[in-house]
Amino acid sequence: MTQHTSFRIAVLPGDGIGIEVIDAALEVLNAAQEKAGGYRLNLESLPAGAGEYVTNGVALPEDTLKAAEESDAILLGAMGLPSVRYPDGTEIAPQLDLRFHFNLYAGVRPSMTFANGPSALVDPRGGDINFVLIRESTEGLFASRGKGVVVDDREARDTLVITRDTSERLFDFSFELARQRKAQGHPGHVTLVDKANVFTSFAFFREIFDERAANYPDIGSDHLYVDATALDMVRRPWEFDVLVTENMFGDILSDLAAGLVGGMGFAPSADIGDNNAVFQPAHGTAPDIMGTGKANPVACILSAAMMLDWLGAKHDTPGCLRAAQLIKDAVAITISEKGIKTADVGGSHSTSDVVRAVVDAIAEA
Ligand code: ATP
């Protein structure tokens, strides 16, 4: 692997608080780059989203897509506004189009609690929540997006699709991630979430999972039905390590997972394919709080750290890995030691208070 130190980053702030949390993440990225050294991000801000649709009639302009194709990674805020819709009534969601365009099959959704930070649950034995849910992001029930049919106003059908090719890549990705996490002290275990007791598609999914699991004897594996997973995410979330599931199940469970650790403002995410990746907070544009300075930027800041981790591992760039760790540590200090809390978790700190605390913690590291 040849070492890279200069990266082109396509930045798509989007709409609503997407713009505000991206501004926050860029300040933190700059501070981390200065402190860690050894690499350079060339950030290019690009138009896309509901605002762009209103102004120019296109939600994802061709020039933006081309720049994204040529970039090393894509950092995205949030897109769509309830008041702006396509003629058929659906919302503007170029972030979904990017997943399909770049074949970003692995939706990586980490959930973690911080000491003294928000948490919906407390483990009587003092455990921390720290698991990663991987949501397949290009097929499953979402394969039917835009293709559902209504027959004679009598019935409607959407079809769920599981392919061997995507499933093999998805499971290999999940086991590789569990292996990386094991090296950092996590259990090294992958749980498949399915409904194999009812559906042929999920029995097939499970069969492929077991085949791939056999190639990773150092990593544990098991299966859990999706209904039992919902129960256990509330009953014993501190016991999970890596979970992998179909698109629709992952859509639902990742919001539940975010709810366990303080809500959408604390939920970073990455959509990763074989060659490209989009990093974005799991939340939407939150029109109710846009422009008020109340947006919690932690999810976006942690998504930026995930981008540095991914770039560092892919291109063998230790500076990126150092910067990612600086950001993660600084966020932990901001929440656990400085007690910074935004309005979504009952505090009164602003977006810029969080940024200042994180940037200071990086400078003091
Ligand atoms: P989408 O469909 O695009 O995911 P949504 O309307 O379902 O969006 P969000 O926009 O993610 O949901 O958020 C719902 C509500 O949660 C917001 O209206 C806002 O009050 C709150 N919220 C979401 N993200 C944040 C954040 N980063 N900081 C503070 N509050 C947030």
Side-chain angles (χ1 to χ4, degrees), residues 321-337:
L321 300 176
R322 278 198 304 275
Q325 196 58 50
L326 277 170
I327 295 175
K328 289 183 276 186
D329 290 347
V331 167
I333 289 168
T334 297
I335 297 168
S336 305
E337 293 174 25

Side-chain angles (χ1 to χ4, degrees), residues 17 79 264-265 283-286 288-289 294-296 344:
I17 66 163
M79 291 180 189
M264 303 308 281
H283 60 76
T285 55
D288 55 331
I289 57 160
K294 287 186 183 164
N296 179 356
D344 51 327

Side-chain angles (χ1 to χ4, degrees), residues 105-171:
Y105 52 84
V108 183
R109 311 286 156 91
S111 275
M112 76 215 84
T113 43
F114 296 94
N116 306 319
S119 176
L121 301 165
V122 177
D123 180 3
R125 284 165 302 172
D128 293 326
I129 295 177
N130 193 319
F131 65 81
V132 181
L133 177 71
I134 300 174
R135 163 190 178 184
E136 197 293 314
S137 298
T138 57
E139 49 187 46
L141 194 53
F142 281 67
S144 188
R145 180 173 171 247
K147 297 183 200 147
V149 290
V150 177
V151 185
D152 299 336
D153 203 26
R154 223 177 350 94
E155 62 179 53
R157 286 169 195 254
D158 283 294
T159 305
L160 187 151
V161 178
I162 300 286
T163 68
R164 169 169 284 280
D165 182 49
T166 297
S167 301
E168 286 181 350
R169 291 175 207 222
L170 177 78
F171 296 142

Side-chain angles (χ1 to χ4, degrees), residues 23 105 144 150 189 197 200 213 232 239 245 250 271 282 288 312 354:
D23 277 349
Y105 52 84
S144 188
V150 177
H189 192 94
N197 51 337
T200 305
D232 282 348
E239 290 175 25
T245 191
D271 292 312
D288 55 331
V354 179

